[in-house]
Amino acid sequence: MDNKKKTLIGIVGKENVLEYQKSLETYARDQSFVLPIEPWFVVRPKNMEEVQAIVKWANESTTPLVPMSSGAPHFHGDTVPSVPEATLVDLSRMSAIRRIDRRNRMAVIEPGVTYSQLQPELAKEGLRLTTPLLPRRTKSVIASLLERQPTIIPRYQYSMTEPLRNLGVVWGNGDILYTGEAGGSVYSLEDQWKAGGRQVDPKGPGQTDYLRFVTGAQGTMGIVVWASVKCELLPDVHKVFFIATEKLEALIEFSQRLQRLRLGDEVLLLNNSQLANILGKGIDHIITLRGALPHWVLIMGVAGRALFPEEKAAVQEKDISDLAQYFGLKLLSAIPGVTNREVLDTLINPSGEPYWKFKYKGGCQDIFFLTTLDKTPQFIKTMYSVAETLKYQASEIGIYIQPQHQGVEHHCEFSLPFDPEDWKEVTRVKELYCKASEELIGQGAYFSRPYGMWANMVYNRDVQGTIALRKIKQIFDPKNVMNPGKLCF
Amino acid sequence: MAFSKEAYRALEDIVGPDNISDDPALLDTYAFQYLAETVRPNHSRYMPRPVAAIMPCTTEEVQAIVKVCNRYRIKVKAYSTGWYHFVGAIKPEDDTVQLDLRRMDRILEIDEKNMFAVIEPYVICAQLQAEVMKLGLNINIIGAGASTSILASATSLAGWGPSTFWMGSNPDNLLGVEWVTPAGDIVRTGSLGSGDGWFCGEGPGPSVRGVMRGNFGALGGLGVFTKCAIKLVHWPGSSQLDITGTIPAYRLPLQENFRAYTIAIPTWDAWADCFYKIYDNEIGYVFHRQFNLAGADLAGAFWLMYIDPTKTLNDVEQMVKQPEIKKLTDELRISFQLILAGRSVRDIELQDKILDQILAEVGGWKVKRFCEQDMAEFTNLYFARMGHKHLNFVWVGGYMGSWMQGGTPDYVKGYQPIAAAQLARDQKSGLLVQSGGDALMGCGSGVAGGGHMALEQFVCYDPADHDSVDTVIKDMHGATADAVAHGYPPGKEALYLSVGMKDEDLYAARRRAPQPFFRYQWKIKQAFDPNDVGDRMYMTLPPEDETTD
Amino acid sequence: MALEDYRADVLRCSRCSYCKWIPFDHVKSWRFAKGCPSIDYNKFQSYSAAGRLVTGLSLMDGRCDVTDRVIDVAFKCQLCGSCDVACKVCRYDMEPLLALHELRFKLVEEGHTLPQNTPVMEGFRKEHNMLMKPKGQGGKWADGLKVKDLSKEKAEVAFHAGCRSSYDRDLAQVPSVSASILQKAGVDFGILGKAETCCGGRAFHMGYRADFTSAAKHTVKTWTNAGVKTVVTPCADCFHTFRRLYPEVGSQVEVLHMVEFVDRLVKQGKIKLSRPVTMKITYHDPCHLGRQGEPYVPWKGKERKIFGQAVVYDPPRPRYNGAKGVYEPPRNVLKAIPGLELVEMERIKEASWCCGAGGGVREAYPEFSSWTAGERIEEAMSTGAEAIVSACPWCERNFMDAVNAIGGTMKVFDVMDLVQQAI
């Protein structure tokens, strides 16, 4: 252990190597149910060269590495080591925004850059980046995009990996190979920029889509040291509208049509519990809101940007209104209990403190998967049924449905709040989480991001896919030093 | 191992005697290919003959064929519609079985509400588009046009075109895929592999589809793709294209929520500015620089000739001298086409207003003659169906696309004058069609949403004339040399020439790549194609390079 | 001309696959997008127009010998011309259909013939018809008609029945109705009746150029002797042969199809179609009346290059691309019949799907011929029509046989059948 520490200090400096102790408990466990395993070290590199040195060392010494970019709390178990004697690679020191290019609407950032840090800098250039729903303040942009966390503007999501474009990757075998058009050029980003490259095209290089190996990989293929992301223009006009219904079914066709016509910026569907969790200022307020809010709300942001922004917003608003009328729905500019401005501000900013999912009970487990919108009612029914069986209060389940890929895939998420200090609740939620996940997978819910216990369930269903993934893993991380024990590795 | 009667019989047992042949004349029809003359001895139009042509009907048959080829170490090369000199046998010394996938031609499903279709390899864009238009939906048709296989471009080649800006490229739109690997395994990607349907091409976890294609696909060199799902987009037009006009000058009248413009710009700097403003303002259902493919000096006369069904190429000779055509020719030198489609009347009116403002800001204008009804309706149809794309070959049957280095508009405008000068120089001898430089054509954006594009130079030659073919080959080398001399990577012509190069020369070129992706492609090949039944169009470095690293 | 004259066509073929489909702008469905029956049925690339061009090149260059496969490829094609139309959407220099003909001529002239064609050609030579029937049996349709005999008398208009309807009892009403219409209209015309010989078109399409030339010269001579200036026929095959092939052997007569003639008569008010015929029908454009029914334009010239390499012709070469086919006259006639509801199929006019009978295919490849017709019947059924109407007895025979084979209920009519009902 001493030798390992010595080598790491040689790479990153003494102050950036932490030997595991109680004060570093946040690195050993997270909000998920995975078994906590303490890493031996936490190491904090500053640049690509240090990261490569760490990975090469890990190969030589057969040391498991667990990369991490975001700050606590973590949720899915992917940043908790699955094996002993691991070294956690904390990338939060790599927090530079390398470049913001308004003309090409591209930004190049390092893994430690959070949404809280990035958005204000983008705003100075008249840009912004589509975000997931209320990311925590410590959430790394790259980590979120790598894990294909759904973003709230489906219109810009031309592919499931958007807005992620190019990556600088130190692969599990210590090689550096960039993805996308950046991979077809020299290593120096500055030289690429000088030659007119802007890291826009995500595909390749060559005949392989390396980006695809790293996204959804939970750090098992390599470590991303920079990423380019496609930004949107900051709107000059921005409003939210709502459609409120008792039943989700009443929103389905309207939402599908909305996506098809590419109307709106932000589009998301929330049940009253989830919306209350988001907007509520405390437990009591959440409970009040839950009672006051319509059972289902579809929230749409309507924005106008660039030329004639007011007219752009006005035309969209009228088109959406016509559409709503066609489906017998009413377009609202407010919902009971909260102002339009409050909703918009909440939606487009990171979560406040405490993290919004903890506001109600202090703890929360999420079950999420991909499906098509028409199937969501059936999965909701299943979730409620399992909850009832296990005596979990169904009305407390927060439901968030996020259209993705311009309306083809939909992220469906069930949030299960619980009091982490109450062992009965913890046990109940654990059981609910397991049982509901099994049932949902059995009914065709596609767990495309198989964290923790989902991994076995998912990979058991796809034998050939698993074999193929293991071949890929063998290529990029033959010694399995990158986050072993995750996914099917 | 030479191709044996035993191997033939094993293949015949899979598909039946009617669906396999080794008749030399029949095999020649698979060897005869576009661009073969640029790489083959004596400018032959024939690539090497395959040892057999076989037509499977199901994925299981494809798998069985691939397994036989593994057993007998025969190269497997599948094609859908079969266009390009790299879709068949490449090296004469390899035994290659040509899989002709035309029997796999079904549209398996159209899910209107969730906006995707599931198709087999031989479904062409025109067919799928016609079916989905009935439901108010549309597909991205690639630059090569309506005759192409959607599955092929999505999985195996490029996949972008005039509508990519709004509709997404075919790789963007690719969902679940069924893939018979070179080893003969059937891998189903994304949600399909988990038995959850076709709707998602990613995961679980990392995405296996990353192996299948990158910036471009494996060009048939890494197994066979037997089905895929493709994302659909909204079509705000009528359920059927109501064509008017006399062949070949068909037209599509513009509905009230459509516009079809040819836009001219005064300078290349302003052209780039214009593109960025179009990206920022998100207007443009179809956005492409198309008509300039006919050449800077001939485009005006050519297109006006074409939309008159009583005229032929003979007329272009005189038309080009007419004063008003000369004026038009100058006007069109920096121009492009834009189809606007509104989801409502108010939407299209606003798009029009935005476009006018953009043009005012960059000093551009709508080309009056090309926006008149006849030309506008032709433009509308041209881009709606992309059924005239083989006008690429109109002059004399030979067309080679060069340059096409991808980048931002600022990057691409940089090579325009070099490409233009290069073509003007090479056309002087009269052994190429003297269409005038530039003859550059390209998407408004090859990456969905804008920001990345490329311009492809149209170099036209006579494949029946050896001197003309010699000249186009020189032009290809010249284009590469000019590009590299000015700091650009080699263009599309390098891919074409690579088909005929020796392995050692290909490896030497690949070793010069600044990053090691060709080495990784070798590792991928090792993992997925242990018996080397995929050909060298899946580009790798040799195994010896591994051991020297 | 010889196959070698089309070497440049092959070398300039871009292998674009347009020849397999109808012009793409016209595609309205997955089901009815195909244009070429041959490749659709036979599947291998050889069976497309491009494939045949390459086969010809391979033979010319000695890359292969004439095998059974080569013969099959060359002859298993109706020469319907769909490939030609589609190719010419984007090309002004290609003549795929002519090249396909030359391939057949070359094979026949070199003695590589289809065994199935032998009895047919023997019948043609001996009995002057393509149906292998004794020549005396033809012409019965004219029994009872008082009309000039052109073998003995003169007339400016010749009515030519064609051997399909002359020798096929089920179709005999077509020429007899046509002749009555001419009579009613007061046209001074004559027929050859039992002495009528086959136009030779089918022999031409089967590759027997010399036989065609001989038959054509004989017919032209007969017309000349009878003072004929105009030929009218209800058969699309004969129409095409007379209009497009006969001028090459010196014919200078005007050629009209009966539908053109009736269209004229209706417009001039000389016949009235006043009796209602209540039926929903669809119209099938015969290849030889439609896309191959364009007027003949004499041309002798050569290729020239402009702008360096662009191919043009001196003098400008006429363009046969289906633009000027006979499409509207039959439709005008049908629309003039009260009670008739005309619904169009997807593949019409220059994009029409072949009936399957042409090019010697009905004779040599009956299964393929029947399949092709069956595809067209499916398309007709998809319109909801009760009947398919055409203007060619070969089409009608093939459709009737196809309907019988599938046990269908679709009726098959000639335009003249309905005209007769409506007069």
Side-chain angles (χ1 to χ4, degrees):
Chain A
M1 197 172 178
D2 283 341
N3 281 340
K4 290 195 177 191
K5 188 173 179 182
K6 212 167 143 189
T7 310
L8 288 172
I9 288 171
I11 297 171
V12 297
K14 193 162 179 237
E15 62 281 9
N16 295 311
V17 179
L18 308 171
E19 200 165 341
Y20 185 76
Q21 51 188 295
K22 192 109 174 72
S23 60
L24 300 177
E25 207 182 31
T26 50
Y27 291 110
R29 59 172 69 240
D30 69 359
Q31 303 294 316
S32 71
F33 297 130
V34 304
L35 265 141
I37 294 184
E38 297 162 3
W40 271 12
F41 301 105
V42 175
V43 64
R44 294 167 37 196
K46 179 68 180 157
N47 54 45
M48 180 169 79
E49 291 71 23
E50 288 184 4
V51 171
Q52 184 180 36
I54 292 165
V55 173
K56 283 185 164 167
W57 161 80
N59 274 268
E60 285 156 18
S61 59
T62 333
T63 303
L65 294 178
V66 180
M68 168 199 282
S69 323
S70 307
H74 298 100
F75 285 89
H76 304 310
D78 51 324
T79 51
V80 173
S82 298
V83 298
E85 301 183 23
T87 292
L88 231 122
V89 184
D90 178 351
L91 299 160
S92 57
R93 281 181 72 213
M94 295 176 68
S95 58
I97 298 170
R98 302 275 298 269
R99 184 184 175 97
I100 295 176
D101 177 347
R102 159 65 183 95
R103 185 159 161 94
N104 290 289
R105 298 190 351 230
M106 296 296 298
V108 180
I109 57 176
E110 290 187 343
V113 173
T114 62
Y115 285 102
S116 312
Q117 177 193 354
L118 180 61
Q119 296 287 50
E121 295 304 313
L122 291 175
K124 290 176 190 167
E125 300 292 329
L127 297 172
R128 72 164 183 176
L129 188 67
T130 174
T131 67
L133 178 63
L134 271 66
R136 63 185 188 275
R137 292 198 171 273
T138 54
K139 184 70 189 179
S140 149
V141 176
I142 288 183
S144 173
L145 294 174
L146 282 178
E147 285 305 301
R148 297 197 299 262
Q149 205 176 358
T151 52
I152 59 175
I153 309 182
R155 186 159 70 85
Y156 291 135
Q157 209 181 14
Y158 291 94
S159 75
M160 284 292 279
T161 51
E162 285 285 284
L164 197 57
R165 294 296 174 93
N166 292 195
L167 303 173
V169 184
V170 177
W171 294 89
N173 59 2
D175 275 352
I176 295 176
L177 173 60
Y178 296 167
T179 75
E181 67 172 275
S185 184
V186 295
Y187 282 111
S188 159
L189 286 180
E190 285 73 17
D191 286 348
Q192 288 194 19
W193 295 330
K194 255 195 229 134
R198 293 292 184 265
Q199 300 84 39
V200 177
D201 189 349
K203 303 183 294 293
Q207 295 161 298
T208 309
D209 205 347
Y210 296 89
L211 177 77
R212 250 78 191 201
F213 299 150
V214 197
T215 48
Q218 299 177 29
T220 56
M221 294 288 182
I223 300 180
V224 172
V225 293
W226 63 263
S228 66
V229 293
K230 179 74 177 186
C231 304
E232 305 312 326
L233 296 183
L234 204 55
D236 297 291
V237 172
H238 203 174
K239 308 177 195 178
V240 279
F241 293 95
F242 311 90
I243 307 262
T245 60
E246 270 309 295
K247 286 185 175 320
L248 174 62
E249 286 83 339
L251 290 172
I252 286 177
E253 280 198 73
F254 171 78
S255 180
Q256 286 169 330
R257 198 76 194 176
L258 202 68
Q259 292 313 304
R260 181 161 153 170
L261 297 175
R262 309 255 183 104
L263 281 163
D265 270 28
E266 299 80 8
V267 178
L268 52 162
L269 296 88
L270 299 161
N271 76 343
N272 53 345
S273 290
Q274 196 71 305
L275 189 50
N277 290 335
I278 289 169
L279 299 173
K281 294 181 177 57
I283 300 172
D284 294 335
H285 190 208
I286 288 171
I287 294 171
T288 307
L289 273 179
R290 198 189 291 153
L293 287 168
H295 203 177
W296 283 97
V297 180
L298 187 154
I299 303 179
M300 284 159 285
V302 172
R305 45 171 66 81
L307 293 171
F308 309 115
E310 294 84 7
E311 286 178 65
K312 278 185 181 141
V315 163
Q316 280 193 79
E317 190 184 329
K318 288 201 183 93
D319 284 349
I320 294 172
S321 179
D322 287 348
L323 189 66
Q325 211 176 27
Y326 178 82
F327 286 102
L329 299 168
K330 199 153 178 269
L331 192 67
L332 306 169
S333 46
I335 43 173
V338 64
T339 67
N340 194 296
R341 189 77 237 169
E342 266 180 281
V343 174
L344 182 61
D345 282 344
T346 306
L347 267 190
I348 63 174
N349 285 301
S351 169
E353 292 300 328
Y355 179 55
W356 66 276
K357 292 195 176 176
F358 295 155
K359 279 190 285 182
Y360 180 48
K361 278 196 164 177
C364 186
Q365 280 300 315
D366 294 325
I367 299 176
F368 51 83
F369 49 88
L370 292 179
T371 182
T372 51
L373 185 58
D374 52 340
K375 295 200 171 117
T376 48
Q378 146 207 338
F379 293 129
I380 292 170
K381 202 166 159 207
T382 300
M383 189 71 226
Y384 283 162
S385 160
V386 178
E388 202 184 298
T389 315
L390 295 173
K391 297 190 178 16
Y392 182 94
Q393 184 79 334
S395 61
E396 297 205 332
I397 299 175
I399 307 177
Y400 162 43
I401 300 172
Q402 180 59 61
Q404 291 194 259
H405 203 184
Q406 296 176 332
V408 178
E409 294 92 327
H410 284 70
H411 168 92
C412 182
E413 180 172 309
F414 300 116
S415 295
L416 314 172
F418 66 98
D419 180 354
E421 304 302 319
D422 182 335
W423 68 267
K424 277 198 189 138
E425 283 201 21
V426 171
T427 309
R428 184 181 298 127
V429 157
K430 249 191 198 167
E431 216 184 325
L432 175 58
Y433 181 92
C434 293
K435 210 158 186 292
S437 298
E438 275 169 8
E439 294 247 0
L440 290 165
I441 285 184
Q443 287 181 2
Y446 176 48
F447 281 69
S448 65
R449 299 159 59 200
Y451 297 106
M453 57 170 282
W454 293 338
N456 276 345
M457 292 184 202
V458 164
Y459 291 112
N460 283 341
R461 287 164 68 89
D462 185 2
V463 173
Q464 285 298 335
T466 303
I467 293 170
L469 277 178
R470 286 180 178 153
K471 286 180 182 166
I472 296 166
K473 171 77 165 171
Q474 183 64 24
I475 290 168
F476 292 101
D477 181 24
K479 293 201 171 152
N480 197 11
V481 299
M482 296 308 307
N483 216 353
K486 300 295 190 293
L487 300 171
C488 53
F489 306 133
Chain B
M1 214 184 276
F3 186 65
S4 63
K5 279 198 165 46
E6 197 185 305
Y8 186 93
R9 271 198 293 273
L11 293 170
E12 191 181 59
D13 282 345
I14 298 167
V15 296
D18 289 344
N19 295 308
I20 181 173
S21 175
D22 60 357
D23 178 273
L26 186 140
L27 296 178
D28 265 358
T29 66
Y30 288 95
F32 182 94
Q33 271 298 349
Y34 159 54
L35 290 176
E37 65 277 13
T38 62
V39 298
R40 295 289 290 154
N42 265 336
H43 303 322
S44 169
R45 290 297 314 266
Y46 297 93
M47 294 298 290
R49 249 185 217 164
V51 292
I54 185 168
M55 297 190 296
C57 192
T58 63
T59 302
E60 291 67 33
E61 285 185 359
V62 171
Q63 181 183 37
I65 291 166
V66 169
K67 285 187 165 167
V68 165
C69 290
N70 269 268
R71 200 185 325 147
Y72 292 96
R73 301 291 199 269
I74 307 163
K75 295 280 186 215
V76 173
K77 200 67 186 283
Y79 80 38
S80 308
T81 58
W83 192 57
Y84 265 122
H85 60 331
F86 47 70
V87 302
I90 301 294
K91 288 165 77 171
E93 57 269 37
D94 285 339
D95 284 341
T96 304
V97 163
Q98 177 86 74
L99 270 71
D100 179 342
L101 298 176
R102 70 165 19 247
R103 292 175 70 214
M104 298 174 74
D105 67 345
R106 296 172 299 162
I107 298 172
L108 298 169
E109 183 185 343
I110 298 175
D111 185 333
E112 185 207 338
K113 292 277 161 63
N114 295 307
M115 294 192 296
F116 64 86
V118 183
I119 52 177
E120 289 187 324
Y122 201 73
V123 175
I124 64 166
C125 293
Q127 288 178 298
L128 183 60
Q129 189 193 51
E131 288 298 335
V132 302
M133 272 186 170
K134 294 174 192 172
L135 303 167
L137 293 166
N138 204 350
I139 58 168
N140 171 55
I141 299 184
I142 63 170
S147 59
T148 59
S149 153
I150 304 117
L151 180 146
S153 64
T155 61
S156 303
L157 185 53
W160 43 86
S163 46
T164 290
F165 173 58
W166 198 85
M167 300 191 199
S169 65
N170 285 353
D172 289 329
N173 297 339
L174 188 59
L175 306 170
V177 178
E178 182 181 81
W179 173 37
V180 178
T181 71
D185 300 314
I186 299 177
V187 174
R188 296 180 173 94
T189 65
S191 54
L192 190 66
S194 298
D196 297 330
W198 292 90
F199 71 98
C200 181
E202 310 300 322
S207 302
V208 172
R209 63 167 278 178
V211 172
M212 290 167 9
R213 68 155 294 152
N215 192 27
F216 53 102
L219 308 177
L222 199 67
V224 185
F225 301 97
T226 49
K227 295 185 184 78
C228 77
I230 197 85
K231 176 168 160 284
L232 307 171
V233 299
H234 184 58
W235 164 245
S238 60
S239 60
Q240 183 174 282
L241 295 183
D242 292 318
I243 310 300
T244 62
T246 303
I247 190 172
Y250 295 130
R251 302 198 213 164
L252 178 63
L254 284 145
Q255 292 174 263
E256 68 169 344
N257 59 326
F258 279 80
R259 305 285 188 269
Y261 296 127
T262 292
I263 310 280
I265 307 286
T267 65
W268 281 96
D269 284 341
W271 171 88
D273 289 344
C274 185
F275 272 43
Y276 282 113
K277 286 177 193 287
I278 289 173
Y279 297 157
D280 283 351
N281 283 281
E282 300 175 57
I283 59 168
Y285 192 70
V286 178
F287 177 18
H288 202 71
R289 187 185 203 232
Q290 183 69 243
F291 293 150
N292 292 79
L293 65 85
D297 297 341
L298 300 181
F302 174 78
W303 292 108
L304 291 182
M305 178 283 300
Y306 187 72
I307 61 164
D308 183 341
T310 67
K311 290 188 159 46
T312 69
L313 286 181
N314 275 72
D315 294 286
V316 178
E317 197 177 17
Q318 293 312 313
M319 287 172 73
V320 108
K321 298 174 190 161
Q322 292 163 7
E324 67 274 18
I325 302 270
K326 280 185 168 170
K327 226 170 125 207
L328 177 65
T329 299
D330 281 335
E331 198 182 354
L332 287 170
R333 283 192 195 281
I334 308 175
S335 62
F336 63 93
Q337 283 69 48
L338 193 64
I339 306 286
L340 302 180
R343 56 177 178 262
S344 61
V345 171
R346 58 175 83 96
D347 181 34
I348 191 70
E349 285 171 354
L350 180 58
Q351 290 191 44
D352 250 339
K353 187 174 172 181
I354 292 167
L355 177 63
D356 286 342
Q357 179 62 26
I358 291 174
L359 295 181
E361 288 177 6
V362 303
W365 65 95
K366 295 168 186 164
V367 178
K368 185 165 177 291
R369 180 61 188 91
F370 271 34
C371 295
E372 283 169 12
Q373 187 183 359
D374 56 353
M375 200 54 205
E377 288 183 353
F378 169 69
T379 305
N380 190 30
L381 175 61
Y382 189 104
F383 286 108
R385 181 52 58 85
M386 294 291 285
H388 295 251
K389 265 310 297 183
H390 285 255
L391 286 170
N392 293 7
F393 298 91
V394 70
W395 298 117
V396 65
Y399 133 70
M400 188 281 301
S402 63
W403 292 86
M404 209 173 161
Q405 291 83 344
T408 64
D410 284 336
Y411 176 86
V412 170
K413 79 180 182 196
Y415 65 74
Q416 182 278 332
I418 308 164
Q422 180 246 330
L423 185 64
R425 180 190 73 216
D426 291 350
Q427 287 178 352
K428 275 205 177 83
S429 67
L431 289 167
L432 299 173
V433 175
Q434 290 161 321
S435 57
D438 69 67
L440 289 166
M441 178 221 73
C443 310
S445 181
V447 168
H452 194 273
M453 42 124 16
L455 289 177
E456 174 187 355
Q457 181 115 276
F458 274 55
V459 184
C460 297
Y461 62 99
D462 185 356
D465 182 324
H466 272 221
D467 292 334
S468 188
V469 177
D470 269 335
T471 307
V472 78
I473 295 170
K474 277 202 199 94
D475 177 89
M476 290 160 93
H477 288 287
T480 298
D482 277 2
V484 169
H486 286 87
Y488 294 97
K492 201 177 179 191
E493 70 283 344
L495 170 65
Y496 296 154
L497 288 172
S498 75
V499 175
M501 282 167 67
K502 292 199 187 77
D503 285 346
E504 311 83 74
D505 295 330
L506 289 172
Y507 297 150
R510 288 171 197 165
R511 286 187 192 106
R512 290 196 287 271
Q515 296 188 40
F517 63 88
F518 285 117
R519 248 196 317 113
Y520 276 93
Q521 285 184 188
W522 164 247
K523 293 180 205 243
I524 289 170
K525 183 175 169 78
Q526 263 189 312
F528 288 91
D529 184 11
N531 293 320
D532 193 23
V533 300
D535 71 10
R536 69 174 196 183
M537 292 318 300
Y538 184 67
M539 301 171 194
T540 64
L541 280 169
E544 303 82 71
D545 278 44
E546 263 319 277
T547 54
T548 56
D549 276 338
Chain C
M1 297 293 276
L3 186 61
E4 185 61 45
D5 297 317
Y6 295 94
R7 173 181 287 277
D9 287 58
V10 190
L11 293 174
R12 292 168 181 161
C13 170
S14 63
R15 211 238 167 267
C16 69
S17 289
Y18 276 41
C19 52
K20 300 167 182 157
W21 305 88
I22 63 174
F24 294 110
D25 295 337
H26 283 299
V27 170
K28 295 176 178 58
S29 70
W30 170 85
R31 179 71 178 84
F32 300 121
K34 309 276 176 63
C36 173
S38 184
I39 189 158
D40 204 22
Y41 184 78
N42 300 290
K43 305 295 183 197
F44 285 113
Q45 172 65 11
S46 301
Y47 290 89
S48 62
R52 289 190 180 90
L53 291 179
V54 173
T55 302
L57 183 68
S58 293
L59 287 173
M60 284 191 280
D61 288 349
R63 286 177 60 98
C64 64
D65 297 322
V66 179
T67 58
D68 288 346
R69 173 69 75 179
V70 168
I71 294 173
D72 196 63
V73 162
F75 288 98
K76 211 162 175 183
C77 159
Q78 287 94 350
L79 295 171
C80 70
S82 169
C83 54
D84 205 70
V85 163
C87 178
K88 289 170 176 174
V89 169
C90 294
R91 297 293 293 269
Y92 292 86
D93 60 325
M94 296 282 290
E95 292 289 352
L97 186 60
L98 294 182
L100 265 47
H101 278 289
E102 288 299 334
L103 175 62
R104 278 195 194 179
F105 295 148
K106 177 182 166 68
L107 290 172
V108 167
E109 282 153 21
E110 290 172 3
H112 304 291
T113 55
L114 274 181
Q116 306 92 297
N117 285 346
T118 306
V120 178
M121 288 310 297
E122 278 170 6
F124 173 77
R125 289 173 194 126
K126 216 168 133 218
E127 308 296 338
H128 307 304
N129 70 81
M130 295 302 286
L131 276 75
M132 297 183 280
K133 299 259 170 85
K135 61 181 158 213
Q137 280 187 23
K140 288 203 164 95
W141 62 269
D143 287 351
L145 276 178
K146 285 191 169 58
V147 74
K148 279 182 181 175
D149 178 351
L150 288 174
S151 60
K152 298 177 187 124
E153 303 167 81
K154 285 195 189 310
E156 284 196 355
V157 178
F159 176 79
H160 181 96
C163 46
R164 173 44 70 175
S165 40
S166 291
Y167 288 87
D168 186 331
R169 251 189 326 192
D170 294 331
L171 296 162
Q173 81 285 358
V174 172
S176 70
V177 164
S178 302
S180 323
I181 291 170
L182 293 176
Q183 280 180 325
K184 278 200 181 88
V187 176
D188 176 26
F189 73 100
I191 64 171
L192 287 165
K194 289 188 172 63
E196 184 183 283
T197 55
C198 176
C199 66
R202 200 153 278 265
F204 181 89
H205 293 125
M206 285 159 66
Y208 294 85
R209 182 162 34 196
D211 287 284
F212 159 76
T213 306
S214 164
K217 282 183 171 163
H218 165 80
T219 304
V220 170
K221 194 164 172 216
T222 310
W223 290 339
T224 308
N225 291 344
V228 170
K229 292 198 165 62
T230 301
V231 173
V232 184
T233 178
C235 173
D237 265 16
C238 301
F239 168 80
H240 164 84
T241 304
F242 297 148
R243 182 174 268 200
R244 291 280 291 278
L245 302 180
Y246 271 37
E248 296 284 319
V249 297
S251 168
Q252 292 182 324
V253 302
E254 182 195 21
V255 180
L256 293 172
H257 189 283
M258 267 310 292
V259 293
E260 292 179 290
F261 208 85
V262 171
D263 182 37
R264 249 189 232 178
L265 294 176
V266 169
K267 284 184 173 127
Q268 290 165 353
K270 288 190 175 159
I271 58 171
K272 286 196 179 354
L273 304 175
S274 53
R275 286 201 303 175
V277 180
T278 308
M279 200 168 22
K280 191 170 178 184
I281 61 151
T282 190
Y283 175 71
H284 164 81
D285 291 280
C287 303
H288 287 135
L289 179 64
R291 57 176 163 255
Q292 293 199 51
E294 296 179 286
Y296 172 80
V297 179
W299 182 78
K300 258 190 168 51
K302 57 181 202 293
E303 179 184 296
R304 174 170 70 89
K305 283 186 171 175
I306 59 173
F307 310 126
Q309 294 294 312
V311 167
V312 296
Y313 301 92
D314 265 342
R317 190 170 73 176
R319 200 152 134 78
Y320 297 110
N321 65 345
K324 300 192 205 83
V326 180
Y327 305 121
E328 297 311 321
R331 286 172 170 83
N332 293 340
V333 170
L334 293 169
K335 283 176 193 165
I337 297 174
L340 211 57
E341 186 192 347
L342 172 63
V343 288
E344 296 278 15
M345 290 182 278
E346 289 184 20
R347 295 175 291 190
I348 62 171
K349 301 185 183 176
E350 69 269 19
S352 177
W353 175 261
C354 179
C355 73
V361 166
R362 185 183 157 83
E363 294 78 6
Y365 297 103
E367 253 183 48
F368 170 41
S369 180
S370 177
W371 172 87
T372 308
E375 285 290 291
R376 194 55 159 168
I377 295 298
E378 287 272 349
E379 193 176 354
M381 282 163 54
S382 74
T383 67
E386 305 161 52
I388 183 168
V389 181
S390 192
C392 176
W394 291 94
C395 298
E396 286 137 28
R397 167 48 62 196
N398 235 35
F399 289 149
M400 289 191 287
D401 289 348
V403 171
N404 286 339
I406 61 170
T409 56
M410 172 128 328
K411 302 189 193 95
V412 181
F413 293 114
D414 189 277
V415 175
M416 294 302 123
D417 293 329
L418 300 181
V419 167
Q420 185 192 28
Q421 290 182 43
I423 280 185

